[in-house]
Amino acid sequence: MTRVIFMGTPDYAESILEALITADDIEVVAVYTQPDKPVGRKAVLTPPVVKVLAEKANIPVKQPTRLRDEEVVTDLRSIPCDLIIVAAYGQILPKAVLEHAPCINLHASILPQYRGASPIQQSLLNNDSQSGVTAMWMDEGLDTGAIIKIETLEIGADEMVESLYKRLTDSAVRLTLDVIRHWDRRSAIKQNDAEATYCKKILKSDGLIDFSDACEIYNRYRAFTPWPGIFTESGLKIKEMRLEDESSSGEAGVISRIDKEGVVVQCKKGSLKITRVQAPSKQETSVVDYLNGKRIGCGYPLV
């Protein structure tokens, strides 16, 4: 029986934890996750999904604000375990924790590509044809540890982040169980730091578009739907769209064609077919109904 301390917070981590809990040869002895956070307009204090799952399985849950605090580290080191499994936990592990037991991280990219906070979105922003999950031994760096194993998958040409997230989560679950059952530190491969790239935490402001490049906007739509979404300077949210063409040129943001499905909006390079939008403080609607309400048509900017 392999005793595991698990660290993770979002849905990605929840799926991995569920697989660990149901495995006959693995015992999850403790779960570390982020503190409860206020959610929604009423700021209702809401626990991470990982906490909910762990409590249902009667596993002790720890939610330190700072993992590196001395009393937190002392408490963690008092828990006997064979491995520490980390998946989108949200805090960097201090050296004292790394020394307590071998630590394995499941990172949703093909390392050393896309170290950091938003690897799944970054692969879509860059219009990559392939992504994957890397299992690595953790060290004190940010996603810099030696690689144990990588599971890769192809990205669909029009694949959205929710679909890719789900498929990568499924890969991470399989990879986690495989690595725990067959781990050997001697076979790990050191990362080539010269090939490393990084991705930042996504902000609400990243969704603002200016109709400069249709391909770039479409990839942001794929990466940022549903959050933070993509929107114009006026706050109009683009809820549904597709790439119309990649190479035409014209005045950015101007409506060039309207049909029953939606509107074609010209970019400086390429154009987009937009079908559904949402104005600030309004319900989502078809773009044709939106334009009829605004009394604007071809030759006008989409505002």
Side-chain angles (χ1 to χ4, degrees):
M1 183 73 71
T2 302
R3 297 169 301 173
V4 168
I5 291 176
F6 181 79
M7 297 182 169
T9 301
D11 296 350
Y12 174 78
E14 179 194 27
S15 296
I16 297 172
L17 176 60
E18 185 172 21
L20 298 180
I21 290 171
T22 56
D24 293 335
D25 53 347
I26 298 169
E27 179 188 3
V28 182
V29 295
V31 167
Y32 282 72
T33 189
Q34 294 284 57
D36 297 0
K37 291 185 177 181
V39 173
R41 292 182 179 179
K42 295 185 178 180
V44 177
L45 199 61
T46 304
V49 290
V50 162
K51 176 183 179 180
V52 175
L53 176 60
E55 288 184 336
K56 284 182 180 178
N58 296 314
I59 299 169
V61 176
K62 313 282 187 176
Q63 294 178 275
T65 303
R66 280 172 43 89
L67 187 64
R68 59 181 60 252
D69 285 350
E70 184 177 350
E71 62 272 22
V72 174
V73 171
T74 300
D75 181 55
L76 186 151
R77 288 173 64 92
S78 71
I79 304 171
C81 70
D82 302 301
L83 289 171
I84 297 174
I85 303 296
V86 183
Y89 174 46
Q91 295 194 48
I92 294 176
L93 275 59
K95 184 178 180 181
V97 172
L98 296 171
E99 291 175 342
H100 176 53
C103 299
I104 297 173
N105 179 235
L106 284 302
H107 186 73
S109 80
I110 302 172
L111 289 172
Q113 186 182 47
Y114 307 149
R115 295 172 177 173
S118 56
I120 302 176
Q121 291 90 341
Q122 196 64 48
S123 64
L124 294 174
L125 291 172
N126 288 351
N127 198 27
D128 293 340
S129 61
Q130 190 178 62
S131 185
V133 178
T134 301
M136 66 174 175
W137 296 112
M138 297 185 70
D139 58 22
E140 291 185 81
L142 178 63
D143 302 324
T144 56
I147 295 170
I148 305 168
K149 189 173 182 179
I150 298 175
E151 182 167 317
T152 63
L153 54 80
E154 300 302 309
I155 301 175
D158 298 303
E159 187 162 16
M160 302 293 287
V161 69
E162 288 185 316
S163 167
L164 182 57
Y165 187 97
K166 173 64 169 63
R167 294 201 296 129
L168 287 169
T169 298
D170 292 343
S171 291
V173 170
R174 291 191 298 270
L175 187 57
T176 303
L177 295 175
D178 180 40
V179 166
I180 290 175
R181 289 165 177 159
H182 305 102
W183 64 280
D184 183 349
R185 300 203 76 151
R186 294 170 297 178
S187 62
I189 300 171
K190 188 177 185 300
Q191 291 190 44
N192 184 351
D193 292 338
E195 296 178 353
T197 59
Y198 291 84
C199 50
K200 67 181 183 67
K201 183 178 180 180
I202 295 168
L203 304 175
K204 173 71 174 176
S205 57
D206 292 326
L208 178 64
I209 60 172
D210 61 3
F211 294 108
S212 55
D213 186 304
C215 288
E216 186 265 340
I217 293 169
Y218 181 61
N219 289 332
R220 277 211 263 173
Y221 164 72
R222 295 168 62 206
F224 294 158
T225 300
W227 194 90
I230 60 170
F231 47 88
T232 66
E233 190 71 48
S234 69
L236 180 69
K237 297 178 182 178
I238 312 300
K239 305 297 287 187
E240 190 175 281
M241 68 183 305
R242 68 174 185 261
L243 183 63
E244 182 74 2
D245 82 84
E246 301 180 18
S247 57
S248 64
S249 60
E251 187 176 352
V254 169
I255 299 166
S256 62
R257 190 173 79 244
I258 301 176
D259 58 31
K260 290 187 295 183
E261 287 186 355
V263 304
V264 175
V265 178
Q266 185 64 50
C267 299
K268 288 182 182 178
K269 181 182 178 183
S271 62
L272 301 162
K273 182 66 172 285
I274 296 173
T275 53
R276 297 191 66 80
V277 296
Q278 183 178 7
S281 303
K282 301 290 185 181
Q283 294 293 316
E284 179 182 328
T285 185
S286 75
V287 69
V288 174
D289 288 344
Y290 170 77
L291 292 180
N292 287 339
K294 299 282 284 188
R295 296 185 179 180
I296 57 177
C298 289
Y300 287 87
L302 181 67
V303 294

